[in-house]
Amino acid sequence: GQNIDQPTEMTATEGAIVQINCTYQTSGFNGLFWYQQHAGEAPTFLSYNVLDGLEEKGRFSSFLSRSKGYSYLLLKELQMKDSASYLCAVRDSNYQLIWGAGTKLIIKP
Amino acid sequence: GAVVSQHPSRVICKSGTSVKIECRSLDFQATTMFWYRQFPKQSLMLMATSNEGSKATYEQGVEKDKFLINHASLTLSTLTVTSAHPEDSSFYICSAVAVRGTGNQPQHFGDGTRLSIL
């Protein structure tokens, strides 16, 4: 079966750095997405990885290792507004998007 | 760019009512739109995939006669919850993928519709 694993919840301090991991087992691979979802709101697109390596976008970076079925989202200089759920999603060989359950990130002052 | 508009944002209605939710891609054409529902503190659950000009593909366990989907144009898809009951109360979210290419196009989400059936 297809499976995406990410931690349920993480806590970090304002101004610090946090890394949210995602491991996946899917039928084929056509890219990995990270989304941010604030409580009561729809998800917003953060990043896309299809080749191995690091993609940097401001305070957020996303890393992919296809051989390991592994990705992480790195958030630097954490701000209180970064408190949200972070969803990892993989597009499989049929271009279906398989969603992880999300990681709830709690930022403390 | 890549704005998706979803309307209405909130609906409160009586049991037995049918509710229509619209999803529009405002600045791009979307061959494919997706409908999700999300219960509190749970992840997104894909209900159906909607392709312009063809019948929607429903996920296992989703009743196609209860959740009617129409994707009449490259910018509009609608979801109608027929004869809604309290157990249908949920957060319904649509997303759309742009026409150009298939590889790296993310899904862009509407703001969601919070449906409450009394």
Side-chain angles (χ1 to χ4, degrees):
Chain A
Q2 310 208 86
N3 194 51
I4 296 185
D5 287 316
Q6 49 182 134
T8 304
E9 186 174 299
M10 298 182 70
T11 302
T13 305
E14 189 178 16
I17 299 173
V18 71
Q19 177 175 312
I20 302 174
N21 296 324
C22 170
T23 58
Y24 63 89
Q25 293 173 306
T26 56
S27 304
F29 178 83
N30 280 298
L32 184 144
F33 300 82
W34 282 97
Y35 285 82
Q36 180 191 60
Q37 186 177 25
H38 285 100
E41 299 180 11
T44 55
F45 169 70
L46 288 179
S47 68
Y48 169 78
N49 295 72
V50 68
L51 299 177
D52 290 350
L54 189 68
E55 294 282 341
E56 297 187 77
K57 194 184 288 186
R59 292 189 300 115
F60 293 4
S61 303
S62 58
F63 171 83
L64 174 67
S65 169
R66 288 171 296 171
S67 63
K68 295 181 180 178
Y70 167 70
S71 172
Y72 67 72
L73 180 69
L74 191 71
L75 293 76
K76 302 177 184 176
E77 301 170 16
L78 286 170
Q79 302 174 9
M80 297 303 293
K81 67 177 182 180
D82 296 330
S83 292
S85 287
Y86 291 85
L87 307 174
C88 173
V90 173
R91 184 172 280 160
D92 68 10
S93 57
N94 293 320
Y95 284 88
Q96 295 293 315
L97 206 56
I98 313 301
W99 292 89
T103 298
K104 182 179 181 180
L105 178 63
I106 300 169
I107 309 297
K108 295 186 175 180
Chain B
V3 177
V4 176
S5 172
Q6 186 173 341
H7 178 80
S9 58
R10 186 173 181 92
V11 179
I12 302 173
C13 58
K14 294 180 180 180
S15 183
T17 306
S18 291
V19 178
K20 187 176 184 179
I21 304 170
E22 289 188 350
C23 182
R24 294 180 183 273
S25 56
L26 297 185
D27 53 358
F28 67 99
Q29 292 184 321
T31 49
T32 306
M33 289 186 172
F34 304 87
W35 288 96
Y36 294 86
R37 66 188 298 181
Q38 186 175 35
F39 293 105
K41 298 183 180 180
Q42 294 188 22
S43 188
L44 298 170
M45 187 190 81
L46 180 65
M47 298 175 66
T49 301
S50 167
N51 291 299
E52 186 264 338
S54 63
K55 290 184 179 180
T57 303
Y58 289 82
E59 295 300 302
Q60 193 171 7
V62 178
E63 299 175 57
K64 62 181 181 181
D65 293 331
K66 179 155 185 73
F67 298 100
L68 301 178
I69 292 173
N70 183 284
H71 193 159
S73 76
L74 283 171
T75 59
L76 174 64
S77 176
T78 60
L79 167 68
T80 301
V81 183
T82 61
S83 187
H85 292 285
E87 58 266 29
D88 298 322
S89 298
S90 187
F91 190 44
Y92 291 86
I93 314 172
C94 74
S95 70
V97 178
V99 171
R100 61 184 189 282
T102 55
N104 65 346
Q105 297 304 313
Q107 292 184 23
H108 298 283
F109 286 85
D111 289 337
T113 298
R114 192 161 302 282
L115 177 62
S116 300
I117 308 298
L118 305 177

PDB file of all heavy atoms in Angstrom, chain B residues 33-55:
ATOM      1  N   MET B  33      -9.706  19.347 -11.228  1.00  0.00           N
ATOM      2  CA  MET B  33     -10.003  19.915  -9.915  1.00  0.00           C
ATOM      3  C   MET B  33     -10.284  18.774  -8.952  1.00  0.00           C
ATOM      4  O   MET B  33     -10.748  17.704  -9.358  1.00  0.00           O
ATOM      5  CB  MET B  33     -11.200  20.867  -9.989  1.00  0.00           C
ATOM      6  CG  MET B  33     -10.890  22.171 -10.725  1.00  0.00           C
ATOM      7  SD  MET B  33     -12.273  23.335 -10.643  1.00  0.00           S
ATOM      8  CE  MET B  33     -11.537  24.791 -11.360  1.00  0.00           C
ATOM      9  N   PHE B  34      -9.967  19.002  -7.709  1.00  0.00           N
ATOM     10  CA  PHE B  34     -10.104  17.979  -6.689  1.00  0.00           C
ATOM     11  C   PHE B  34     -11.024  18.493  -5.577  1.00  0.00           C
ATOM     12  O   PHE B  34     -10.998  19.663  -5.236  1.00  0.00           O
ATOM     13  CB  PHE B  34      -8.742  17.638  -6.082  1.00  0.00           C
ATOM     14  CG  PHE B  34      -7.712  17.213  -7.086  1.00  0.00           C
ATOM     15  CD1 PHE B  34      -6.936  18.146  -7.740  1.00  0.00           C
ATOM     16  CD2 PHE B  34      -7.525  15.865  -7.363  1.00  0.00           C
ATOM     17  CE1 PHE B  34      -5.983  17.756  -8.669  1.00  0.00           C
ATOM     18  CE2 PHE B  34      -6.571  15.467  -8.286  1.00  0.00           C
ATOM     19  CZ  PHE B  34      -5.799  16.411  -8.941  1.00  0.00           C
ATOM     20  N   TRP B  35     -11.796  17.588  -5.023  1.00  0.00           N
ATOM     21  CA  TRP B  35     -12.649  17.932  -3.886  1.00  0.00           C
ATOM     22  C   TRP B  35     -12.228  17.095  -2.687  1.00  0.00           C
ATOM     23  O   TRP B  35     -12.108  15.865  -2.767  1.00  0.00           O
ATOM     24  CB  TRP B  35     -14.119  17.686  -4.222  1.00  0.00           C
ATOM     25  CG  TRP B  35     -14.658  18.693  -5.182  1.00  0.00           C
ATOM     26  CD1 TRP B  35     -14.768  18.579  -6.532  1.00  0.00           C
ATOM     27  CD2 TRP B  35     -15.142  20.004  -4.851  1.00  0.00           C
ATOM     28  NE1 TRP B  35     -15.294  19.734  -7.062  1.00  0.00           N
ATOM     29  CE2 TRP B  35     -15.530  20.621  -6.059  1.00  0.00           C
ATOM     30  CE3 TRP B  35     -15.291  20.718  -3.657  1.00  0.00           C
ATOM     31  CZ2 TRP B  35     -16.057  21.911  -6.108  1.00  0.00           C
ATOM     32  CZ3 TRP B  35     -15.814  22.001  -3.701  1.00  0.00           C
ATOM     33  CH2 TRP B  35     -16.188  22.584  -4.917  1.00  0.00           C
ATOM     34  N   TYR B  36     -11.987  17.796  -1.580  1.00  0.00           N
ATOM     35  CA  TYR B  36     -11.572  17.151  -0.336  1.00  0.00           C
ATOM     36  C   TYR B  36     -12.588  17.485   0.761  1.00  0.00           C
ATOM     37  O   TYR B  36     -13.289  18.491   0.709  1.00  0.00           O
ATOM     38  CB  TYR B  36     -10.214  17.682   0.124  1.00  0.00           C
ATOM     39  CG  TYR B  36      -9.040  17.364  -0.771  1.00  0.00           C
ATOM     40  CD1 TYR B  36      -8.715  18.176  -1.845  1.00  0.00           C
ATOM     41  CD2 TYR B  36      -8.224  16.267  -0.502  1.00  0.00           C
ATOM     42  CE1 TYR B  36      -7.619  17.891  -2.652  1.00  0.00           C
ATOM     43  CE2 TYR B  36      -7.125  15.983  -1.302  1.00  0.00           C
ATOM     44  CZ  TYR B  36      -6.829  16.801  -2.369  1.00  0.00           C
ATOM     45  OH  TYR B  36      -5.737  16.513  -3.144  1.00  0.00           O
ATOM     46  N   ARG B  37     -12.595  16.652   1.773  1.00  0.00           N
ATOM     47  CA  ARG B  37     -13.270  17.031   3.002  1.00  0.00           C
ATOM     48  C   ARG B  37     -12.292  16.793   4.155  1.00  0.00           C
ATOM     49  O   ARG B  37     -11.392  15.949   4.061  1.00  0.00           O
ATOM     50  CB  ARG B  37     -14.579  16.266   3.215  1.00  0.00           C
ATOM     51  CG  ARG B  37     -14.448  14.788   3.437  1.00  0.00           C
ATOM     52  CD  ARG B  37     -15.793  14.083   3.434  1.00  0.00           C
ATOM     53  NE  ARG B  37     -16.690  14.518   4.499  1.00  0.00           N
ATOM     54  CZ  ARG B  37     -17.903  14.019   4.692  1.00  0.00           C
ATOM     55  NH1 ARG B  37     -18.389  13.088   3.896  1.00  0.00           N
ATOM     56  NH2 ARG B  37     -18.667  14.437   5.671  1.00  0.00           N
ATOM     57  N   GLN B  38     -12.466  17.559   5.185  1.00  0.00           N
ATOM     58  CA  GLN B  38     -11.542  17.465   6.306  1.00  0.00           C
ATOM     59  C   GLN B  38     -12.319  17.624   7.602  1.00  0.00           C
ATOM     60  O   GLN B  38     -12.973  18.653   7.816  1.00  0.00           O
ATOM     61  CB  GLN B  38     -10.457  18.541   6.197  1.00  0.00           C
ATOM     62  CG  GLN B  38      -9.361  18.424   7.245  1.00  0.00           C
ATOM     63  CD  GLN B  38      -8.257  19.442   7.027  1.00  0.00           C
ATOM     64  OE1 GLN B  38      -8.504  20.558   6.593  1.00  0.00           O
ATOM     65  NE2 GLN B  38      -7.025  19.059   7.330  1.00  0.00           N
ATOM     66  N   PHE B  39     -12.238  16.618   8.457  1.00  0.00           N
ATOM     67  CA  PHE B  39     -12.849  16.688   9.770  1.00  0.00           C
ATOM     68  C   PHE B  39     -11.847  17.302  10.736  1.00  0.00           C
ATOM     69  O   PHE B  39     -10.631  17.283  10.479  1.00  0.00           O
ATOM     70  CB  PHE B  39     -13.293  15.300  10.235  1.00  0.00           C
ATOM     71  CG  PHE B  39     -14.427  14.747   9.412  1.00  0.00           C
ATOM     72  CD1 PHE B  39     -14.202  13.749   8.470  1.00  0.00           C
ATOM     73  CD2 PHE B  39     -15.720  15.232   9.568  1.00  0.00           C
ATOM     74  CE1 PHE B  39     -15.245  13.243   7.702  1.00  0.00           C
ATOM     75  CE2 PHE B  39     -16.766  14.740   8.802  1.00  0.00           C
ATOM     76  CZ  PHE B  39     -16.521  13.749   7.867  1.00  0.00           C
ATOM     77  N   PRO B  40     -12.335  17.876  11.843  1.00  0.00           N
ATOM     78  CA  PRO B  40     -11.443  18.551  12.794  1.00  0.00           C
ATOM     79  C   PRO B  40     -10.269  17.689  13.218  1.00  0.00           C
ATOM     80  O   PRO B  40     -10.419  16.510  13.534  1.00  0.00           O
ATOM     81  CB  PRO B  40     -12.377  18.865  13.967  1.00  0.00           C
ATOM     82  CG  PRO B  40     -13.727  18.975  13.355  1.00  0.00           C
ATOM     83  CD  PRO B  40     -13.753  17.959  12.259  1.00  0.00           C
ATOM     84  N   LYS B  41      -9.102  18.282  13.156  1.00  0.00           N
ATOM     85  CA  LYS B  41      -7.853  17.659  13.597  1.00  0.00           C
ATOM     86  C   LYS B  41      -7.489  16.415  12.783  1.00  0.00           C
ATOM     87  O   LYS B  41      -6.703  15.587  13.243  1.00  0.00           O
ATOM     88  CB  LYS B  41      -7.915  17.319  15.087  1.00  0.00           C
ATOM     89  CG  LYS B  41      -8.093  18.538  15.976  1.00  0.00           C
ATOM     90  CD  LYS B  41      -8.070  18.185  17.443  1.00  0.00           C
ATOM     91  CE  LYS B  41      -8.254  19.442  18.294  1.00  0.00           C
ATOM     92  NZ  LYS B  41      -8.241  19.136  19.735  1.00  0.00           N
ATOM     93  N   GLN B  42      -8.058  16.301  11.604  1.00  0.00           N
ATOM     94  CA  GLN B  42      -7.695  15.181  10.728  1.00  0.00           C
ATOM     95  C   GLN B  42      -7.130  15.709   9.419  1.00  0.00           C
ATOM     96  O   GLN B  42      -7.260  16.894   9.102  1.00  0.00           O
ATOM     97  CB  GLN B  42      -8.918  14.299  10.463  1.00  0.00           C
ATOM     98  CG  GLN B  42      -9.429  13.586  11.696  1.00  0.00           C
ATOM     99  CD  GLN B  42     -10.497  12.577  11.370  1.00  0.00           C
ATOM    100  OE1 GLN B  42     -10.606  12.104  10.234  1.00  0.00           O
ATOM    101  NE2 GLN B  42     -11.299  12.236  12.366  1.00  0.00           N
ATOM    102  N   SER B  43      -6.510  14.821   8.662  1.00  0.00           N
ATOM    103  CA  SER B  43      -5.899  15.246   7.412  1.00  0.00           C
ATOM    104  C   SER B  43      -6.944  15.352   6.313  1.00  0.00           C
ATOM    105  O   SER B  43      -8.106  14.979   6.489  1.00  0.00           O
ATOM    106  CB  SER B  43      -4.820  14.244   7.002  1.00  0.00           C
ATOM    107  OG  SER B  43      -4.094  14.734   5.899  1.00  0.00           O
ATOM    108  N   LEU B  44      -6.520  15.866   5.184  1.00  0.00           N
ATOM    109  CA  LEU B  44      -7.400  15.968   4.027  1.00  0.00           C
ATOM    110  C   LEU B  44      -7.792  14.580   3.538  1.00  0.00           C
ATOM    111  O   LEU B  44      -6.981  13.677   3.507  1.00  0.00           O
ATOM    112  CB  LEU B  44      -6.674  16.683   2.885  1.00  0.00           C
ATOM    113  CG  LEU B  44      -6.230  18.109   3.133  1.00  0.00           C
ATOM    114  CD1 LEU B  44      -5.333  18.563   2.002  1.00  0.00           C
ATOM    115  CD2 LEU B  44      -7.439  19.032   3.236  1.00  0.00           C
ATOM    116  N   MET B  45      -9.049  14.447   3.151  1.00  0.00           N
ATOM    117  CA  MET B  45      -9.510  13.197   2.562  1.00  0.00           C
ATOM    118  C   MET B  45     -10.044  13.497   1.166  1.00  0.00           C
ATOM    119  O   MET B  45     -11.014  14.254   1.017  1.00  0.00           O
ATOM    120  CB  MET B  45     -10.608  12.571   3.420  1.00  0.00           C
ATOM    121  CG  MET B  45     -11.020  11.175   2.944  1.00  0.00           C
ATOM    122  SD  MET B  45     -12.494  10.569   3.760  1.00  0.00           S
ATOM    123  CE  MET B  45     -13.769  11.391   2.809  1.00  0.00           C
ATOM    124  N   LEU B  46      -9.401  12.920   0.165  1.00  0.00           N
ATOM    125  CA  LEU B  46      -9.850  13.149  -1.205  1.00  0.00           C
ATOM    126  C   LEU B  46     -11.189  12.477  -1.426  1.00  0.00           C
ATOM    127  O   LEU B  46     -11.357  11.289  -1.140  1.00  0.00           O
ATOM    128  CB  LEU B  46      -8.809  12.600  -2.196  1.00  0.00           C
ATOM    129  CG  LEU B  46      -9.138  12.765  -3.674  1.00  0.00           C
ATOM    130  CD1 LEU B  46      -9.175  14.247  -4.067  1.00  0.00           C
ATOM    131  CD2 LEU B  46      -8.123  12.019  -4.532  1.00  0.00           C
ATOM    132  N   MET B  47     -12.143  13.244  -1.930  1.00  0.00           N
ATOM    133  CA  MET B  47     -13.459  12.700  -2.226  1.00  0.00           C
ATOM    134  C   MET B  47     -13.551  12.286  -3.696  1.00  0.00           C
ATOM    135  O   MET B  47     -14.027  11.205  -4.017  1.00  0.00           O
ATOM    136  CB  MET B  47     -14.546  13.740  -1.946  1.00  0.00           C
ATOM    137  CG  MET B  47     -14.625  14.183  -0.518  1.00  0.00           C
ATOM    138  SD  MET B  47     -15.829  15.504  -0.318  1.00  0.00           S
ATOM    139  CE  MET B  47     -17.354  14.645  -0.700  1.00  0.00           C
ATOM    140  N   ALA B  48     -13.095  13.182  -4.569  1.00  0.00           N
ATOM    141  CA  ALA B  48     -13.252  12.913  -6.001  1.00  0.00           C
ATOM    142  C   ALA B  48     -12.308  13.798  -6.799  1.00  0.00           C
ATOM    143  O   ALA B  48     -11.892  14.862  -6.355  1.00  0.00           O
ATOM    144  CB  ALA B  48     -14.687  13.164  -6.428  1.00  0.00           C
ATOM    145  N   THR B  49     -11.994  13.314  -7.990  1.00  0.00           N
ATOM    146  CA  THR B  49     -11.191  14.055  -8.951  1.00  0.00           C
ATOM    147  C   THR B  49     -12.093  14.412 -10.120  1.00  0.00           C
ATOM    148  O   THR B  49     -12.773  13.536 -10.678  1.00  0.00           O
ATOM    149  CB  THR B  49     -10.007  13.205  -9.435  1.00  0.00           C
ATOM    150  OG1 THR B  49      -9.216  12.835  -8.311  1.00  0.00           O
ATOM    151  CG2 THR B  49      -9.159  13.972 -10.426  1.00  0.00           C
ATOM    152  N   SER B  50     -12.078  15.680 -10.472  1.00  0.00           N
ATOM    153  CA  SER B  50     -12.989  16.182 -11.491  1.00  0.00           C
ATOM    154  C   SER B  50     -12.208  16.659 -12.712  1.00  0.00           C
ATOM    155  O   SER B  50     -11.357  17.524 -12.587  1.00  0.00           O
ATOM    156  CB  SER B  50     -13.790  17.345 -10.887  1.00  0.00           C
ATOM    157  OG  SER B  50     -14.470  18.069 -11.865  1.00  0.00           O
ATOM    158  N   ASN B  51     -12.470  16.061 -13.851  1.00  0.00           N
ATOM    159  CA  ASN B  51     -11.825  16.472 -15.090  1.00  0.00           C
ATOM    160  C   ASN B  51     -12.834  17.182 -15.986  1.00  0.00           C
ATOM    161  O   ASN B  51     -13.974  16.725 -16.136  1.00  0.00           O
ATOM    162  CB  ASN B  51     -11.251  15.258 -15.823  1.00  0.00           C
ATOM    163  CG  ASN B  51     -10.078  14.660 -15.085  1.00  0.00           C
ATOM    164  OD1 ASN B  51      -9.065  15.296 -14.866  1.00  0.00           O
ATOM    165  ND2 ASN B  51     -10.218  13.418 -14.665  1.00  0.00           N
ATOM    166  N   GLU B  52     -12.393  18.275 -16.568  1.00  0.00           N
ATOM    167  CA  GLU B  52     -13.277  19.089 -17.402  1.00  0.00           C
ATOM    168  C   GLU B  52     -13.875  18.266 -18.536  1.00  0.00           C
ATOM    169  O   GLU B  52     -13.158  17.573 -19.262  1.00  0.00           O
ATOM    170  CB  GLU B  52     -12.492  20.287 -17.954  1.00  0.00           C
ATOM    171  CG  GLU B  52     -13.339  21.277 -18.724  1.00  0.00           C
ATOM    172  CD  GLU B  52     -13.312  21.032 -20.223  1.00  0.00           C
ATOM    173  OE1 GLU B  52     -12.350  20.403 -20.698  1.00  0.00           O
ATOM    174  OE2 GLU B  52     -14.248  21.478 -20.903  1.00  0.00           O
ATOM    175  N   GLY B  53     -15.182  18.308 -18.638  1.00  0.00           N
ATOM    176  CA  GLY B  53     -15.882  17.648 -19.730  1.00  0.00           C
ATOM    177  C   GLY B  53     -16.107  16.166 -19.566  1.00  0.00           C
ATOM    178  O   GLY B  53     -16.631  15.508 -20.483  1.00  0.00           O
ATOM    179  N   SER B  54     -15.724  15.613 -18.431  1.00  0.00           N
ATOM    180  CA  SER B  54     -15.961  14.181 -18.227  1.00  0.00           C
ATOM    181  C   SER B  54     -16.477  13.933 -16.820  1.00  0.00           C
ATOM    182  O   SER B  54     -16.492  14.829 -15.980  1.00  0.00           O
ATOM    183  CB  SER B  54     -14.674  13.383 -18.483  1.00  0.00           C
ATOM    184  OG  SER B  54     -13.681  13.751 -17.553  1.00  0.00           O
ATOM    185  N   LYS B  55     -16.882  12.703 -16.579  1.00  0.00           N
ATOM    186  CA  LYS B  55     -17.427  12.362 -15.260  1.00  0.00           C
ATOM    187  C   LYS B  55     -16.320  12.360 -14.209  1.00  0.00           C
ATOM    188  O   LYS B  55     -15.176  12.007 -14.492  1.00  0.00           O
ATOM    189  CB  LYS B  55     -18.093  10.988 -15.316  1.00  0.00           C
ATOM    190  CG  LYS B  55     -19.387  10.948 -16.131  1.00  0.00           C
ATOM    191  CD  LYS B  55     -20.023   9.577 -16.053  1.00  0.00           C
ATOM    192  CE  LYS B  55     -21.330   9.547 -16.845  1.00  0.00           C
ATOM    193  NZ  LYS B  55     -21.972   8.203 -16.787  1.00  0.00           N
TER     194      LYS B  55
END
